[in-house]
Amino acid sequence: MDGQTPTRKMLERQFNRLEVLEAAVTLFYEKGYTGVTVAQIARAVEFGVGKIYRLFPGGKEGIYYAIQEAVVQAFEEEIQALLAGVTDETDLIRQYIRAAANVYKIYPRQMSMYLKQFAGAGMDPGYQLPDSLAARYRACASHVEQAFMSGKERGRFKSIPPKTALLCLRTIITDCLLDWYNDGGQSPMEPCIEMIEQFFLTGLIKG
């Protein structure tokens, strides 16, 4: 807002958008994206359909992208914070796992909603997102993909194609974190992170 104090109308609009996003997350998680209509979202927040479109001109698609943009931004921030100054390949992979887990803790329903919907899409984190948002999401993995390449070239890692290694890592993270959430998401996350690290790195690092 360019440093301007938000007006009451701006704050009300922001609050209404958050209400819509919260209701949409619940519906998308329970029914799947294709099973939800704008009218259902409107009923959930007791708004008219017209108001939903005024808040989100893109309708259901715009709401969904807004949900995912918040997740992508959180992932970018976690990657920036946890990978800053890290150069060791194994440590980069560990921090990437931790970043993914942290985002899952912040947005468990949003992540579960997306992964349940598109788990069969090769674990591509940008699948069915707008190009700009997909590129940001995929860029979060660029550091760890470089770590696979560097570790392989230096003889630290087994000769596994970096893209294959990244796919395997995403699959393990997805499976473990979905299990954590489906079990209630109340147990400590640390044992889950350690299990992912041990399972993946044992198969990657040369003995």
Side-chain angles (χ1 to χ4, degrees), residues 1-93:
M1 284 177 277
D2 298 326
Q4 296 180 359
T5 301
T7 65
R8 180 176 177 179
K9 187 174 182 179
M10 290 176 181
L11 292 173
E12 182 179 357
R13 177 181 173 82
Q14 183 180 14
F15 180 77
N16 287 340
R17 280 176 59 90
L18 291 174
E19 282 187 293
V20 172
L21 293 175
E22 183 68 17
V25 166
T26 299
L27 288 169
F28 289 152
Y29 179 77
E30 293 176 350
K31 301 175 180 293
Y33 177 78
T34 57
V36 176
T37 65
V38 171
Q40 288 174 317
I41 297 172
R43 284 197 297 272
V45 289
E46 299 181 345
F47 290 165
V49 170
K51 183 170 183 176
I52 298 293
Y53 279 100
R54 287 193 294 275
L55 292 168
F56 295 92
K60 184 174 77 167
E61 188 176 73
I63 293 169
Y64 182 79
Y65 292 161
I67 292 169
Q68 291 305 323
E69 184 170 16
V71 174
V72 171
Q73 183 175 337
F75 202 7
E76 289 172 331
E77 291 170 357
E78 289 291 331
I79 289 290
Q80 184 177 9
L82 292 176
L83 271 64
V86 180
T87 57
D88 180 81
E89 293 93 351
T90 302
D91 288 343
L92 276 165
I93 295 168

Side-chain angles (χ1 to χ4, degrees), residues 6 18 29-30 33 44 66 70 73-74 81 85 95-96 107 126 143 145 154 168 181-182 187 189:
L18 291 174
Y29 179 77
E30 293 176 350
Y33 177 78
Q73 183 175 337
Q95 294 297 70
Y96 177 83
Y107 293 112
H143 305 282
E145 189 168 0
R154 298 203 301 127
C168 292
Y181 180 70
N182 290 333
S187 58
M189 178 70 82

